[in-house]
Amino acid sequence: MIDPCSIEANGLISIEQALQKIHHSIIPVSECERVVLKNALNRILSAPVQSAIDIPPDRNSAMDGYAFDSQEIKPGQPFILSLAGTSWAGKPYQGSLKKGECIRIFTGAVMPDGADSVIMQEHIEKNELNITFPATTQTKKNIRAAGCDIKKDSELISAPKKLSAIDIGLLASAGIYDVTVKRKLNIAFLSTGDELCAIGQVLKPGQIYDSNRYTLSGLLSDNNFNIYDLGVVADDKQQLENILSSAAKTHDVIITTGGASVGEADYIKEILDKCGNVGFWKIAIKPGKPLAFGKIKDCYFFGLPGNPVSVIATFHKIVEPALQHLSGITVKKSISITATCTDSLTKEKGRQEYQRGILTQTKSGEFFVKSAGKQGSNIMSAISRANCYIVLASDSEGIAAGKKVVVEPFETRI
Ligand code: AMP
Ligand code: MG
């Protein structure tokens, strides 16, 4: 699995190298399924969709007003037309406009034949059935042509695309009832470690609560994934081997946490050497140096570190792009912005760091970031407070307060 040529002298590979290797070894799923539109949110559209109709289907009014024929206009003077009827949205005026007539019309209502203009209701004067149009009346305004949004047989959405709420609305506007999407990925995850205690139980001496499975379950919550929580597995070679080789038969991906370093009780490597084709990498990032990636039979395997903050960072930086690629979607990059750092940050040369920060934006639009607190890979409280990563390049040796830094927000709203 490891390409020795790309490993740097210190045994670390860059995150870019790791991502590239993973990308090249993953074959995106090809199987598709048909889902009704209301279940298609965030699913990955696998074939482009054309519209069978013009949208809007009819020429209609863009506002509440009066429809008339521009031939009636007397340049520079007001004119009067008689009100012949009403065109409602969903209840068009029956018949066509005759000379001297106008029609009351509402937003979205079909334009009657013979009318080519709409005037806003606020601009006319009404006296029983006589409608006075002002001298300033403009022609051919306030009308939406049939197909002005989408023309019949043209492409509504290209594929592949993760369908947003807006896309679902667009598809619904064309009357699309169901769409073809990539099948969901079946993803299993588990925690390893003799010290782990399930929440709801009282800690015994030396135990800690298993938080990684809860974090992973949240991080994996995605309409494109069926997720399977395989629980906590003790540092027991046989038990781990059994569970991994059996889960590999029925899942596309297995993610484990813990046991991937070189501690006495870290069996993952041994087991994978036996039943899989998995590489053990030291990636030049902090948090999250040790990572195992490869295949057990046809199942992709990610062995993440045990420390909770490392789990989150390696998930965001490595697993998430890999799962996007496997799902059949183009991998998206994190947004990065420049912010002024109000704290000084310490760092050693050698690894790219994703320090946890708190980003704010002033009323005038400037970004500031400060440290979210202690930066240890076990410090969950700081990453919980954080709303961004402060990205420090591997050759950086820390920064002084007041300097600009690159920040990757966790969300698009802060
Ligand atoms: P390991 O990689 O197994 O040596 O674990 C590294 C550190 O992460 C140790 O301090 C573990 O106790 C801790 N750790 C491992 N798994 C979990 C987990 N599921 N939840 C919380 N902490 C964990
Ligand atoms: Mg362990």
Side-chain angles (χ1 to χ4, degrees):
M1 217 49 215
I2 306 176
D3 169 11
C5 304
S6 64
I7 295 178
E8 293 163 14
N10 58 4
L12 299 181
I13 60 169
S14 71
I15 182 153
E16 291 76 20
Q17 285 173 312
L19 287 171
Q20 214 173 35
K21 286 154 164 293
I22 293 174
H23 194 88
H24 286 134
S25 37
I26 286 180
I27 301 165
V29 290
S30 53
E31 301 94 330
C32 299
E33 60 182 340
R34 201 89 187 145
V35 293
V36 295
L37 198 59
K38 70 181 164 81
N39 294 335
L41 182 64
N42 292 329
R43 296 295 301 273
I44 293 155
L45 187 72
S46 57
V49 180
Q50 275 83 29
S51 179
I53 56 166
D54 276 333
I55 306 173
D58 302 292
R59 199 172 61 115
N60 68 84
S61 177
M63 54 185 58
D64 294 344
Y66 291 81
F68 63 100
D69 180 1
S70 55
Q71 305 275 333
E72 303 280 5
I73 284 219
K74 297 189 170 49
Q77 357 170 345
F79 56 98
I80 296 175
L81 297 174
S82 82
L83 187 59
T86 301
S87 186
W88 310 86
K91 218 178 348 146
Y93 176 68
Q94 301 295 320
S96 54
L97 203 63
K98 298 192 185 59
K99 194 151 178 42
E101 288 180 350
C102 66
I103 295 288
R104 177 82 169 111
I105 195 159
F106 293 99
T107 307
V110 175
M111 285 291 288
D113 286 345
D116 63 2
S117 307
V118 169
I119 187 169
M120 258 169 106
Q121 61 189 18
E122 290 82 356
H123 293 168
I124 57 93
E125 270 175 38
K126 184 168 184 286
N127 186 0
E128 310 232 311
L129 293 183
N130 287 329
I131 308 296
T132 303
F133 289 69
T136 53
T137 300
Q138 293 184 308
T139 59
K140 306 200 173 158
K141 294 280 184 216
N142 306 323
I143 293 180
R144 302 162 174 166
C148 67
D149 185 356
I150 302 282
K151 290 258 177 298
K152 181 173 185 290
D153 297 329
S154 68
E155 190 170 271
L156 273 171
I157 303 190
S158 59
K161 183 168 192 211
K162 187 166 186 169
L163 294 172
S164 68
I166 296 165
D167 297 328
I168 301 287
L170 174 66
L171 291 163
S173 76
I176 304 291
Y177 183 78
D178 53 8
V179 285
T180 306
V181 295
K182 295 282 185 180
R183 75 160 168 86
K184 293 190 183 196
L185 302 181
N186 295 311
I187 304 179
F189 58 99
L190 59 88
S191 293
T192 67
D194 283 343
E195 74 281 34
L196 302 177
C197 171
I199 60 172
Q201 292 179 13
V202 178
L203 288 176
K204 295 199 186 95
Q207 284 192 322
I208 57 166
Y209 285 116
D210 168 22
S211 61
N212 289 344
R213 255 178 334 119
Y214 289 85
T215 312
L216 273 184
S217 153
L219 290 169
L220 288 167
S221 154
D222 184 309
N223 210 10
N224 294 296
F225 307 153
N226 295 315
I227 60 171
Y228 302 89
D229 181 347
L230 303 185
V232 175
V233 181
D235 290 316
D236 176 299
K237 232 186 277 187
Q238 196 55 53
Q239 216 184 321
L240 259 171
E241 184 176 334
N242 293 349
I243 200 159
L244 290 179
S245 51
S246 120
K249 291 182 194 143
T250 47
H251 296 88
D252 299 300
V253 178
I254 301 173
I255 303 172
T256 64
T257 68
S261 51
V262 284
E264 289 266 294
D266 295 339
Y267 297 125
I268 292 264
K269 182 167 169 30
E270 251 182 277
I271 292 162
L272 292 170
D273 281 344
K274 197 169 152 197
C275 68
N277 176 17
V278 173
F280 278 76
W281 302 346
K282 284 184 184 161
I283 302 178
I285 56 170
K286 191 176 174 188
K289 187 164 65 172
L291 181 102
F293 169 72
K295 279 184 117 175
I296 307 173
K297 301 190 181 80
D298 289 329
C299 176
Y300 295 101
F301 176 84
F302 294 88
L304 307 187
N307 274 307
V309 179
S310 306
V311 170
I312 300 165
T314 48
F315 186 92
H316 282 150
K317 294 286 138 200
I318 292 167
V319 181
E320 204 166 63
L323 295 181
Q324 280 176 12
H325 182 50
L326 181 59
S327 315
I329 192 84
T330 311
V331 176
K332 291 197 174 176
K333 284 210 165 74
S334 305
I335 292 175
S336 67
I337 58 175
T338 305
T340 304
C341 190
T342 54
D343 289 326
S344 64
L345 304 176
T346 57
K347 177 184 178 297
E348 280 170 26
K349 216 171 163 170
R351 291 200 267 162
Q352 173 145 310
E353 287 198 13
Y354 297 93
Q355 297 204 2
R356 280 68 71 201
I358 298 174
L359 179 69
T360 49
Q361 189 175 22
T362 61
K363 280 204 176 119
S364 58
E366 275 178 290
F367 288 107
F368 287 92
V369 68
K370 63 177 183 178
S371 170
K374 287 186 198 152
Q375 295 291 326
S377 57
N378 59 329
I379 308 291
M380 280 288 267
S381 54
I383 198 166
S384 163
R385 269 193 303 276
N387 62 2
C388 67
Y389 288 122
I390 303 170
V391 186
L392 301 175
S394 66
D395 59 359
S396 156
E397 291 180 274
I399 59 135
K403 293 278 183 222
K404 300 270 188 215
V405 285
V406 173
V407 159
E408 290 178 0
F410 292 166
E411 309 271 352
T412 53
R413 291 171 188 230
I414 54 170

